Amino acid sequence: MDSVVTDPPYEIGFMNRGFDRTGIAFDVDLWRGILRVLKPGGHVAAFAASRTYHRLAGAIEDAGFEIRDQIDWVYASGMPHGSDAAILIDRERREDLEPTRRVCRFIRAAMDAKGLASKDLASAFDCNPRLIDHWATEGRLGCESVSRAAQWSRLKTLLDLDDAMDGEVERLNARKGQPSDTFKQLPVIGEHASETGGVPGERFQAHDNLIREPSDTAKPFKGWYSQLKPAHEPICLARKPLDGNLARNLLEYGTGALHIDACRVPFRNMADEAESKGKNQHGRFGSGPRDNHVYGADKADRADYTAEARFAPNMLFDQSAAKALDRQSGVTVSRKGKPRASTKPGDGWGMTHTGAEYDDMGGASRFYPVFRYCSKASPSERPKVDGILHPTVKPVELMRWLVRLITPEGGLVLEPFAGSGTTLEACLLEHMQCTASELDPDYIKLIHARLSKPIQNELF
């Protein structure tokens, strides 16, 4: 394998989906297996959630990879998922708290009588032992929960429980997902413009579209939420250790470096290109080596700026995020028409007046890869088969950029978490080979649908 471009589970239980809470992305043995099949110097580009990135990067590093960088995919299309603290307080079914605790104590007493711990029961439910802790919690207030009907029946068999709590468990299950009795009585002060949120049958689903006045208990927490709006996803860039130095590794395996020229940031227009190429004409003006009080003096004379596009950075923007950045930065001018005041080296970078002054202007986003407009995947990029959709699809252009960055021309890419097949499509468009795996048979259907459609390779 020449490279790995993958979008593994974020392990945050997204939309209560089972695939996103297995822990596989943090499994060091998984990444050791990937390390084994990669060529020396082969790179990995793996997506992660902002709050679990450290676990992913730690597992990759512990497997033997070198962490080389973190690429940030920044977008403005993320939906706020944080919960309104005031609404949570008013919706909390405090009247059900003590009955729930009674059921938990009932289960815990039966477990203690049999000498069983949560881990002993977890295998019977194919779940994490922490779920059993919630059903039989003791002393950890706020963690109490009641098992569903089928789970309760299984618990009764395993623990030889009598029928004393059957009625209470049935009643509490019927109230799941319902707000408190007092919440329904709060004054209605408005109505949301949009339809009720959530997916029928899923964990998160609104029950009406009404806006209610917070209670006196909840008012101190009005304006407080549980989390920030998501606006970036980190990508862990790692590399298998080289076989010798980089030059020898490249000659032997073709891997170890990044294909920067294939991922440069195009100039916005001819004027932008002219200004950018005219800003560093150090060779023409005989600027000589740069003297720098931080890094020391360069040995070689500085050359003119002749690149056909800007150097690829470790931050990627979508169109909306780029526009927001430009609104904040305004049109920036790099000393346009104003020579530097001093002809002597200063502290820090030690720049001097040379006659080759910066002369470009525009919004700050011109320095980042915005030309690809990596917004969240559009509906046209989300295959649907028999009502099945994948909830975390990445844009094809974003995956193409990553494939080009770390894969030699015509190389073989590994995607261990294929999902709906975005990486596979990206490899086809970039004329790369790809070996992919996917555990869920429903998502295999999405991959077939994606790869069965006509694929057009657009120039950009």
Side-chain angles (χ1 to χ4, degrees):
M1 297 292 174
D2 294 292
S3 67
V4 177
V5 178
T6 184
D7 183 19
Y10 286 1
E11 310 295 358
I12 57 175
F14 181 71
M15 292 179 65
N16 207 30
R17 300 297 180 101
F19 74 81
D20 202 40
R21 56 186 181 202
T22 65
I24 185 64
F26 308 149
D27 188 338
V28 176
D29 287 338
L30 166 76
W31 295 106
R32 284 197 185 109
I34 291 173
L35 182 80
R36 180 179 59 82
V37 300
L38 260 183
K39 294 178 180 178
H43 280 88
V44 170
F47 284 81
S50 57
R51 68 177 188 258
T52 55
Y53 172 86
H54 63 293
R55 297 284 306 280
L56 176 80
I60 292 173
E61 186 174 47
D62 289 346
F65 284 94
E66 305 166 349
I67 303 300
R68 302 292 297 174
D69 207 335
Q70 176 180 307
I71 301 172
D72 266 330
W73 173 38
V74 182
Y75 49 82
S77 55
M79 290 294 293
H81 300 302
S83 300
D84 186 317
I87 293 177
L88 286 177
I89 290 172
D90 282 334
R91 287 177 61 91
E92 177 72 11
R93 300 192 313 275
R94 291 186 286 276
E95 61 271 21
D96 290 343
L97 187 56
E98 186 52 38
T100 300
R101 289 175 180 169
R102 283 199 299 270
V103 174
C104 290
R105 290 194 292 267
F106 184 68
I107 295 172
R108 175 58 63 182
M111 289 173 61
D112 291 344
K114 288 184 172 290
L116 297 174
S118 296
K119 64 180 181 180
D120 301 320
L121 292 176
S123 59
F125 294 91
D126 191 24
C127 70
N128 192 295
R130 285 178 294 182
L131 179 60
I132 309 298
D133 289 339
H134 289 306
W135 296 343
T137 186
E138 54 178 359
R140 297 197 312 169
L141 303 183
C143 297
E144 309 88 348
S145 68
V146 173
S147 60
R148 296 193 299 270
Q151 295 166 332
W152 175 250
S153 178
R154 181 72 173 143
L155 277 173
K156 288 182 65 177
T157 301
L158 293 171
L159 298 176
D160 297 324
L161 301 176
D162 59 34
D163 300 337
M165 289 291 176
D166 285 1
E168 196 69 287
V169 170
E170 182 179 358
R171 183 184 72 83
L172 291 170
N173 266 301
R175 288 173 59 80
K176 282 185 177 180
Q178 299 294 325
S180 65
D181 296 335
T182 55
F183 179 79
K184 300 173 185 177
Q185 299 167 9
L186 293 172
V188 175
I189 59 174
E191 186 172 349
H192 291 289
S194 60
E195 296 295 325
T196 55
V199 180
E202 292 285 357
R203 178 180 174 185
F204 306 105
Q205 183 180 4
H207 291 275
D208 62 42
N209 226 23
L210 303 178
I211 303 172
R212 292 176 169 82
E213 177 73 24
S215 67
D216 292 339
T217 303
K219 279 180 180 177
F221 301 97
K222 184 174 175 57
W224 291 75
Y225 289 80
S226 60
Q227 64 189 69
L228 298 168
K229 171 184 174 178
H232 84 106
E233 290 174 35
I235 304 166
C236 180
L237 185 64
R239 186 177 70 181
K240 182 173 179 175
L242 301 171
D243 183 4
N245 60 32
L246 180 56
R248 286 198 293 268
N249 201 96
L250 285 167
L251 291 172
E252 178 69 23
Y253 304 102
T255 54
L258 303 174
H259 198 175
I260 296 298
D261 277 0
C263 298
R264 285 182 177 268
V265 184
F267 297 116
R268 294 291 177 84
N269 47 50
M270 292 179 65
D272 182 32
E273 180 176 3
E275 290 169 352
S276 297
K277 288 187 174 181
K279 70 180 182 180
N280 279 327
Q281 297 296 311
H282 295 292
R284 175 185 173 191
F285 286 96
S287 300
R290 182 194 299 274
D291 188 15
N292 186 283
H293 288 272
V294 175
Y295 298 109
D298 291 340
K299 295 181 179 180
D301 289 345
R302 283 174 280 178
D304 293 346
Y305 179 73
T306 59
E308 294 304 313
R310 291 187 171 95
F311 207 87
N314 61 1
M315 185 169 289
L316 316 175
F317 285 95
D318 76 348
Q319 185 179 13
S320 298
K323 287 181 178 178
L325 177 63
D326 288 344
R327 282 195 298 270
Q328 293 181 41
S329 71
V331 174
T332 59
V333 180
S334 301
R335 296 185 179 89
K336 185 174 178 64
K338 297 179 180 179
R340 297 186 178 94
S342 175
T343 59
K344 296 181 179 180
D347 292 334
W349 294 106
M351 294 180 177
T352 62
H353 169 65
T354 65
E357 313 308 327
Y358 292 141
D359 195 31
D360 64 314
M361 60 187 298
S365 70
R366 69 189 188 278
F367 300 111
Y368 300 96
V370 185
F371 66 101
R372 288 167 293 100
Y373 300 149
C374 289
S375 60
K376 285 285 193 175
S378 64
S380 64
E381 293 186 8
R382 294 178 181 269
K384 183 176 182 180
V385 179
D386 299 331
I388 300 167
L389 284 168
H390 196 288
T392 59
V393 178
K394 296 297 185 293
V396 174
E397 292 302 327
L398 174 63
M399 305 308 284
R400 291 181 67 178
W401 190 88
L402 291 171
V403 166
R404 291 199 307 275
L405 180 68
I406 66 174
T407 314
E409 292 184 8
L412 178 58
V413 179
L414 174 63
E415 166 57 286
F417 302 98
S420 68
T422 311
T423 306
L424 283 156
E425 182 177 354
C427 288
L428 283 174
L429 290 167
E430 293 299 329
H431 307 292
M432 306 286 189
Q433 305 172 72
C434 184
T435 296
S437 63
E438 173 54 49
L439 185 64
D440 193 319
D442 285 339
Y443 294 155
I444 297 293
K445 298 176 184 177
L446 300 183
I447 295 173
H448 283 302
R450 178 190 290 274
L451 300 183
S452 297
K453 70 179 183 181
I455 296 179
Q456 295 183 349
N457 196 348
E458 298 179 0
L459 296 175
F460 56 90

